[in-house]
Amino acid sequence: MTDALPPRSLARRPAAPSTVTRPVASPIQPSVVWRAEDADALDAQYEGRTEGFAYARESHPNAVALARQIDALEGTPEGSGGGLCFGSGMGAVSAVLLGLLKSGDRVIASSQLYGRSLRLMTQDLPRFGIEIAFVDPTDGAAWRKAAETPAAMVFAEVVSNPTLRVADMDAARDAATACGGLLVVDNTFTTPRGWRPFDHGADIVIHSVTKMLAGHSDATLGWAAARTPEIRAALAAAQGSIGATASPFDCWLAERGLATFALRYDRAEANAAALADHLATLPGVEAAIYPGRADHPDHNRAGDLLQGRNGTMVAFRLKGGRAQANAFIRAAADLPFAPSLGDVQTLLSHPPSSSHRALTPEGRAALGITEGFIRVSVGVEEIETLKAEFSEAVAAAAKV
Ligand SMILES: *Cc1c(COP(=O)(O)O)cnc(C)c1O
């Protein structure tokens, strides 16, 4: 038997074939490392005189392609250098907090942020000598009061999880101006279809791309962009050090998902409005929560701020408690009980046993989160199907 190995080692990879035609679909480029012509060429690249990639942890083509698409949606300011992709939404949040804050700094933050962001602020930042002042995001006076003491950063989300309260974003922006801090907005829940933070004075915008932007529960990604190149450079440095690198394949999936973002959003939002109104008519439902409804506590602010873009999330309280919640979830067998959001299919979650399980029952009660509280990330299904499924499952819960 002959040893039929080719004369050039298979360990040496061939050059990609060159073609005069170009692919219609974006290529996936998983290369970890990039070869340069010589050391001078690498210098030129690191000094920003030429464009290129060196090592995928720092940047790679699929991350840049995705970031440019999200920049276009969010209106990332020209001249900032554009947004950056991260390995998760929390990668982006971590880079913003750890890359920009230092010991002795103070942060003013909404008390109703995403649970893991709150955890980072309460459990980790104090270890680095950073102080956090939490405010009720709907209370303009609370933002103003907190801003009487200087702060390095003001951190807000527009619509809160899971109670769907609408923050006083004018007050948050004024607080950032008054205390001299950067205004950071995590825009995951609202999406640029609902509100664009850079148009309203934000210095940094963050996304968990995992959710509505990618839209199919199959890619874990984050994105952050800054108003100035200086802030962007600090975020890029933090990303490289933390290692919150976005996978090229996930970026590719998200780029594909983003192509239908506006269509998915509009359909899911129309479904959410109709489903909230439907839930309110069901005898087993104590309250339907949606900013577009006249009985929502922030309905007027939602009207001013969101201009009718009330979002794709709905919440409701079943009459009863844990037994009714369990019965509802079991009866809604075609609706995944899975604590995420922004998927094309409707997802259910139960905050008292997931995102808000660390709170005391009293703490949850203060937010209106009873054991019968269900959060719904509304998908793009046919609305009549959704209405029938919810009617049936609510009726099943009411029988318990
Ligand atoms: C999910 C989420 C995050 C974290 O994103 P991951 O991609 O899960 O790390 C941050 N903020 C908000 C508002 C979220 O919903």
Side-chain angles (χ1 to χ4, degrees), residues 184-199:
V184 180
V185 180
D186 178 342
N187 207 31
T188 302
F189 250 61
T190 312
T191 84
R193 201 125 180 98
W195 204 70
R196 298 209 314 176
F198 280 128
D199 297 345

PDB file of all heavy atoms in Angstrom, residues 184-199:
ATOM      1  N   VAL A 184     -26.398  55.612  29.994  1.00  0.00           N
ATOM      2  CA  VAL A 184     -26.335  54.286  29.375  1.00  0.00           C
ATOM      3  C   VAL A 184     -27.750  53.717  29.319  1.00  0.00           C
ATOM      4  O   VAL A 184     -28.446  53.694  30.332  1.00  0.00           O
ATOM      5  CB  VAL A 184     -25.441  53.333  30.207  1.00  0.00           C
ATOM      6  CG1 VAL A 184     -25.380  51.954  29.554  1.00  0.00           C
ATOM      7  CG2 VAL A 184     -24.050  53.917  30.377  1.00  0.00           C
ATOM      8  N   VAL A 185     -28.179  53.281  28.143  1.00  0.00           N
ATOM      9  CA  VAL A 185     -29.523  52.697  28.004  1.00  0.00           C
ATOM     10  C   VAL A 185     -29.400  51.277  27.453  1.00  0.00           C
ATOM     11  O   VAL A 185     -28.847  51.071  26.371  1.00  0.00           O
ATOM     12  CB  VAL A 185     -30.418  53.554  27.080  1.00  0.00           C
ATOM     13  CG1 VAL A 185     -31.809  52.915  26.949  1.00  0.00           C
ATOM     14  CG2 VAL A 185     -30.529  54.983  27.610  1.00  0.00           C
ATOM     15  N   ASP A 186     -29.911  50.314  28.216  1.00  0.00           N
ATOM     16  CA  ASP A 186     -30.057  48.941  27.718  1.00  0.00           C
ATOM     17  C   ASP A 186     -31.391  48.906  26.982  1.00  0.00           C
ATOM     18  O   ASP A 186     -32.450  48.958  27.599  1.00  0.00           O
ATOM     19  CB  ASP A 186     -30.017  47.959  28.891  1.00  0.00           C
ATOM     20  CG  ASP A 186     -30.212  46.499  28.451  1.00  0.00           C
ATOM     21  OD1 ASP A 186     -30.712  46.261  27.331  1.00  0.00           O
ATOM     22  OD2 ASP A 186     -29.884  45.603  29.257  1.00  0.00           O
ATOM     23  N   ASN A 187     -31.316  48.822  25.646  1.00  0.00           N
ATOM     24  CA  ASN A 187     -32.520  48.977  24.821  1.00  0.00           C
ATOM     25  C   ASN A 187     -33.100  47.638  24.346  1.00  0.00           C
ATOM     26  O   ASN A 187     -33.862  47.601  23.381  1.00  0.00           O
ATOM     27  CB  ASN A 187     -32.177  49.865  23.603  1.00  0.00           C
ATOM     28  CG  ASN A 187     -33.380  50.622  23.067  1.00  0.00           C
ATOM     29  OD1 ASN A 187     -34.291  50.973  23.827  1.00  0.00           O
ATOM     30  ND2 ASN A 187     -33.411  50.863  21.769  1.00  0.00           N
ATOM     31  N   THR A 188     -32.733  46.559  25.030  1.00  0.00           N
ATOM     32  CA  THR A 188     -33.139  45.213  24.604  1.00  0.00           C
ATOM     33  C   THR A 188     -34.653  45.054  24.505  1.00  0.00           C
ATOM     34  O   THR A 188     -35.179  44.561  23.505  1.00  0.00           O
ATOM     35  CB  THR A 188     -32.598  44.157  25.598  1.00  0.00           C
ATOM     36  OG1 THR A 188     -31.180  44.274  25.662  1.00  0.00           O
ATOM     37  CG2 THR A 188     -32.984  42.753  25.188  1.00  0.00           C
ATOM     38  N   PHE A 189     -35.363  45.462  25.549  1.00  0.00           N
ATOM     39  CA  PHE A 189     -36.815  45.264  25.603  1.00  0.00           C
ATOM     40  C   PHE A 189     -37.534  46.135  24.583  1.00  0.00           C
ATOM     41  O   PHE A 189     -38.511  45.719  23.983  1.00  0.00           O
ATOM     42  CB  PHE A 189     -37.322  45.643  27.007  1.00  0.00           C
ATOM     43  CG  PHE A 189     -37.786  44.490  27.816  1.00  0.00           C
ATOM     44  CD1 PHE A 189     -36.911  43.466  28.136  1.00  0.00           C
ATOM     45  CD2 PHE A 189     -39.094  44.407  28.259  1.00  0.00           C
ATOM     46  CE1 PHE A 189     -37.335  42.387  28.894  1.00  0.00           C
ATOM     47  CE2 PHE A 189     -39.532  43.338  29.016  1.00  0.00           C
ATOM     48  CZ  PHE A 189     -38.653  42.336  29.339  1.00  0.00           C
ATOM     49  N   THR A 190     -37.075  47.360  24.428  1.00  0.00           N
ATOM     50  CA  THR A 190     -37.812  48.332  23.615  1.00  0.00           C
ATOM     51  C   THR A 190     -37.470  48.197  22.142  1.00  0.00           C
ATOM     52  O   THR A 190     -38.347  48.351  21.288  1.00  0.00           O
ATOM     53  CB  THR A 190     -37.502  49.750  24.136  1.00  0.00           C
ATOM     54  OG1 THR A 190     -37.659  49.737  25.556  1.00  0.00           O
ATOM     55  CG2 THR A 190     -38.445  50.771  23.553  1.00  0.00           C
ATOM     56  N   THR A 191     -36.235  47.902  21.858  1.00  0.00           N
ATOM     57  CA  THR A 191     -35.669  47.788  20.503  1.00  0.00           C
ATOM     58  C   THR A 191     -35.722  49.149  19.791  1.00  0.00           C
ATOM     59  O   THR A 191     -36.549  50.008  20.132  1.00  0.00           O
ATOM     60  CB  THR A 191     -36.360  46.734  19.578  1.00  0.00           C
ATOM     61  OG1 THR A 191     -37.498  47.316  18.961  1.00  0.00           O
ATOM     62  CG2 THR A 191     -36.706  45.454  20.299  1.00  0.00           C
ATOM     63  N   PRO A 192     -34.867  49.341  18.783  1.00  0.00           N
ATOM     64  CA  PRO A 192     -34.881  50.631  18.082  1.00  0.00           C
ATOM     65  C   PRO A 192     -36.194  50.904  17.341  1.00  0.00           C
ATOM     66  O   PRO A 192     -36.447  52.029  16.933  1.00  0.00           O
ATOM     67  CB  PRO A 192     -33.704  50.513  17.096  1.00  0.00           C
ATOM     68  CG  PRO A 192     -33.328  49.078  17.083  1.00  0.00           C
ATOM     69  CD  PRO A 192     -33.770  48.483  18.362  1.00  0.00           C
ATOM     70  N   ARG A 193     -37.024  49.894  17.188  1.00  0.00           N
ATOM     71  CA  ARG A 193     -38.326  50.137  16.565  1.00  0.00           C
ATOM     72  C   ARG A 193     -39.237  50.896  17.539  1.00  0.00           C
ATOM     73  O   ARG A 193     -40.158  51.598  17.121  1.00  0.00           O
ATOM     74  CB  ARG A 193     -38.967  48.810  16.174  1.00  0.00           C
ATOM     75  CG  ARG A 193     -40.017  48.965  15.106  1.00  0.00           C
ATOM     76  CD  ARG A 193     -39.737  48.069  13.924  1.00  0.00           C
ATOM     77  NE  ARG A 193     -40.732  48.210  12.894  1.00  0.00           N
ATOM     78  CZ  ARG A 193     -40.573  48.977  11.815  1.00  0.00           C
ATOM     79  NH1 ARG A 193     -39.470  49.674  11.641  1.00  0.00           N
ATOM     80  NH2 ARG A 193     -41.524  49.047  10.907  1.00  0.00           N
ATOM     81  N   GLY A 194     -38.972  50.720  18.839  1.00  0.00           N
ATOM     82  CA  GLY A 194     -39.779  51.407  19.841  1.00  0.00           C
ATOM     83  C   GLY A 194     -39.211  52.768  20.207  1.00  0.00           C
ATOM     84  O   GLY A 194     -39.954  53.750  20.350  1.00  0.00           O
ATOM     85  N   TRP A 195     -37.897  52.858  20.361  1.00  0.00           N
ATOM     86  CA  TRP A 195     -37.271  54.089  20.849  1.00  0.00           C
ATOM     87  C   TRP A 195     -35.795  54.018  20.536  1.00  0.00           C
ATOM     88  O   TRP A 195     -35.188  52.943  20.684  1.00  0.00           O
ATOM     89  CB  TRP A 195     -37.463  54.170  22.372  1.00  0.00           C
ATOM     90  CG  TRP A 195     -37.397  55.535  22.955  1.00  0.00           C
ATOM     91  CD1 TRP A 195     -38.314  56.534  22.791  1.00  0.00           C
ATOM     92  CD2 TRP A 195     -36.383  56.051  23.841  1.00  0.00           C
ATOM     93  NE1 TRP A 195     -37.924  57.633  23.523  1.00  0.00           N
ATOM     94  CE2 TRP A 195     -36.755  57.368  24.166  1.00  0.00           C
ATOM     95  CE3 TRP A 195     -35.201  55.521  24.375  1.00  0.00           C
ATOM     96  CZ2 TRP A 195     -35.995  58.176  25.009  1.00  0.00           C
ATOM     97  CZ3 TRP A 195     -34.445  56.319  25.211  1.00  0.00           C
ATOM     98  CH2 TRP A 195     -34.839  57.628  25.526  1.00  0.00           C
ATOM     99  N   ARG A 196     -35.213  55.115  20.075  1.00  0.00           N
ATOM    100  CA  ARG A 196     -33.784  55.097  19.760  1.00  0.00           C
ATOM    101  C   ARG A 196     -33.040  55.999  20.750  1.00  0.00           C
ATOM    102  O   ARG A 196     -33.065  57.230  20.635  1.00  0.00           O
ATOM    103  CB  ARG A 196     -33.541  55.563  18.324  1.00  0.00           C
ATOM    104  CG  ARG A 196     -34.204  54.639  17.297  1.00  0.00           C
ATOM    105  CD  ARG A 196     -33.488  54.613  15.983  1.00  0.00           C
ATOM    106  NE  ARG A 196     -33.120  55.945  15.498  1.00  0.00           N
ATOM    107  CZ  ARG A 196     -32.414  56.147  14.397  1.00  0.00           C
ATOM    108  NH1 ARG A 196     -31.999  55.121  13.677  1.00  0.00           N
ATOM    109  NH2 ARG A 196     -32.118  57.365  14.009  1.00  0.00           N
ATOM    110  N   PRO A 197     -32.352  55.400  21.713  1.00  0.00           N
ATOM    111  CA  PRO A 197     -31.737  56.183  22.795  1.00  0.00           C
ATOM    112  C   PRO A 197     -30.761  57.259  22.303  1.00  0.00           C
ATOM    113  O   PRO A 197     -30.686  58.341  22.903  1.00  0.00           O
ATOM    114  CB  PRO A 197     -31.019  55.135  23.642  1.00  0.00           C
ATOM    115  CG  PRO A 197     -31.775  53.865  23.386  1.00  0.00           C
ATOM    116  CD  PRO A 197     -32.215  53.944  21.957  1.00  0.00           C
ATOM    117  N   PHE A 198     -30.013  56.981  21.207  1.00  0.00           N
ATOM    118  CA  PHE A 198     -29.053  58.007  20.757  1.00  0.00           C
ATOM    119  C   PHE A 198     -29.783  59.281  20.308  1.00  0.00           C
ATOM    120  O   PHE A 198     -29.229  60.374  20.388  1.00  0.00           O
ATOM    121  CB  PHE A 198     -28.191  57.478  19.598  1.00  0.00           C
ATOM    122  CG  PHE A 198     -27.052  56.584  20.038  1.00  0.00           C
ATOM    123  CD1 PHE A 198     -26.879  55.327  19.466  1.00  0.00           C
ATOM    124  CD2 PHE A 198     -26.141  57.009  21.003  1.00  0.00           C
ATOM    125  CE1 PHE A 198     -25.816  54.506  19.850  1.00  0.00           C
ATOM    126  CE2 PHE A 198     -25.072  56.199  21.398  1.00  0.00           C
ATOM    127  CZ  PHE A 198     -24.918  54.935  20.816  1.00  0.00           C
ATOM    128  N   ASP A 199     -31.026  59.154  19.830  1.00  0.00           N
ATOM    129  CA  ASP A 199     -31.787  60.340  19.417  1.00  0.00           C
ATOM    130  C   ASP A 199     -32.233  61.162  20.622  1.00  0.00           C
ATOM    131  O   ASP A 199     -32.731  62.275  20.463  1.00  0.00           O
ATOM    132  CB  ASP A 199     -33.044  59.929  18.624  1.00  0.00           C
ATOM    133  CG  ASP A 199     -32.703  59.217  17.318  1.00  0.00           C
ATOM    134  OD1 ASP A 199     -31.533  59.304  16.893  1.00  0.00           O
ATOM    135  OD2 ASP A 199     -33.609  58.577  16.743  1.00  0.00           O
TER     136      ASP A 199
END
